[in-house]
């Protein structure tokens, strides 16, 4: 059963991601989208976990909390792919996307998400880690996926729910939905915590 206090809360999702919107809808929550454009730049000394937590908080900085209802809650999330301590962001070009999938091919990497939930008077931030293993991808498979799915809005140049995940992912250790960009069990627990 969904927490009644959350149902009575005005929920706002600070994200343009269609996948996060879809997942939050499927969780049964009613919410509005808030567009908060920020330049996703972070201090170089941060660890990957610190990066996602920092960026998830950064995404809420343009919001004037006082302009919203007193019971408004804002959700933001940032997701990165990490391979051997190297952060793979969103590819800007086809060459970058191909390079990222070549790196991930045949290896296990981490997908790390940071979630921040904030209101006028409180804020909590958590993170979630999932390990994903790819089989050895052929050059033809990589090129087919990039050409047909153009994953330029996805960290690590792939979406696990797409063709590449169906044919290429051999193991997952952790939350599947975290790899899609929103660790839903963690989010639900955080919503319970902040609204009670």
């Amino acid at each position: 059963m969904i927490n009644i206090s959350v149902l009575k809360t005005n929920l706002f999702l600070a994200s343009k991601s269609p996948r996060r919107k879809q997942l939050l809808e499927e969780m049964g929550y009613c919410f509005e989208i808030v567009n908060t454009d920020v330049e996703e730049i972070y201090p170089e000394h941060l660890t990957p976990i610190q990066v996602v937590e920092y960026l998830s908080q950064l995404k809420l900085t343009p919001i004037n909390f006082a302009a919203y209802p007193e019971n408004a809650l804002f959700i933001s999330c940032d997701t990165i792919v990490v391979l051997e301590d190297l952060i793979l962001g969103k590819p800007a070009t086809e060459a970058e996307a191909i390079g990222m999938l070549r790196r991930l091919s045949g290896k296990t990497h981490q997908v790390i998400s940071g979630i921040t939930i904030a209101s006028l008077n409180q804020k909590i931030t958590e993170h979630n880690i999932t390990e994903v293993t790819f089989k050895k991808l052929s050059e033809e498979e990589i090129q087919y996926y990039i050409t047909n799915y153009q994953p330029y809005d996805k960290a690590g140049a792939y979406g696990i729910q797409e063709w590449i995940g169906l044919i290429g992912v051999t193991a997952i250790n952790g939350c599947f939905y975290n790899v899609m960009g929103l660790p839903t069990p963690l989010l639900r627990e955080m919503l319970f915590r902040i609204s009670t």
Side-chain angles (χ1 to χ4, degrees):
M1 181 177 243
I2 295 177
N3 189 359
I4 297 301
S5 59
V6 173
L7 287 175
K8 293 179 180 177
T9 299
N10 287 292
L11 279 183
F12 297 89
L13 176 63
S15 175
K16 294 179 180 178
S17 166
R19 294 166 296 281
R20 292 189 181 122
K21 177 178 180 290
Q22 173 194 348
L23 290 174
L24 197 55
E25 287 172 344
E26 291 178 357
M27 291 177 74
Y29 294 117
C30 296
F31 60 94
E32 294 181 39
I33 299 292
V34 178
N35 289 324
T36 56
D37 289 322
V38 294
E39 196 168 1
E40 296 183 14
I41 296 175
Y42 52 86
E44 291 185 3
H45 67 275
L46 298 183
T47 66
I49 289 173
Q50 290 172 331
V51 167
V52 292
E53 292 190 348
Y54 175 89
L55 290 176
S56 72
Q57 294 181 45
L58 181 69
K59 290 178 179 181
L60 294 180
T61 54
I63 296 173
N64 177 13
F65 291 94
Y68 289 84
E70 187 177 348
N71 66 345
L73 285 180
F74 297 87
I75 302 166
S76 66
C77 186
D78 189 77
T79 301
I80 59 174
V81 168
V82 181
L83 177 66
E84 298 164 353
D85 294 324
L86 176 67
I87 295 177
L88 302 180
K90 298 173 184 176
T93 64
E94 179 177 316
E96 280 188 15
I98 291 171
M100 287 182 185
L101 289 178
R102 283 175 177 166
R103 283 179 179 270
L104 297 174
S105 175
K107 296 178 182 175
T108 297
H109 63 273
Q110 292 183 320
V111 179
I112 308 176
S113 291
I115 297 181
T116 296
I117 302 178
S119 66
L120 181 61
N121 299 312
Q122 53 183 329
K123 178 176 72 175
I124 55 175
T125 300
E126 301 284 354
H127 69 272
N128 187 269
I129 301 175
T130 303
E131 291 187 341
V132 180
T133 302
F134 269 110
K135 71 164 192 171
K136 187 69 176 175
L137 299 168
S138 70
E139 288 296 310
E140 291 79 11
E141 288 169 335
I142 291 173
Q143 188 62 61
Y144 174 85
Y145 176 67
I146 300 294
T147 301
N148 289 279
Y149 291 86
Q150 303 194 7
Y152 302 114
D153 63 334
K154 299 176 177 68
Y158 80 93
I160 194 168
Q161 72 279 10
E162 296 176 339
W163 182 83
I164 197 77
L166 295 172
I167 65 96
V169 172
T170 59
I172 301 174
N173 181 17
C175 176
F176 173 86
Y177 297 104
N178 180 46
V179 188
M180 284 183 65
L182 188 67
T184 50
L186 174 61
L187 173 62
R188 180 172 164 84
E189 183 272 324
M190 291 171 70
L191 284 170
F192 269 76
R193 197 192 324 163
I194 201 169
S195 61
T196 53

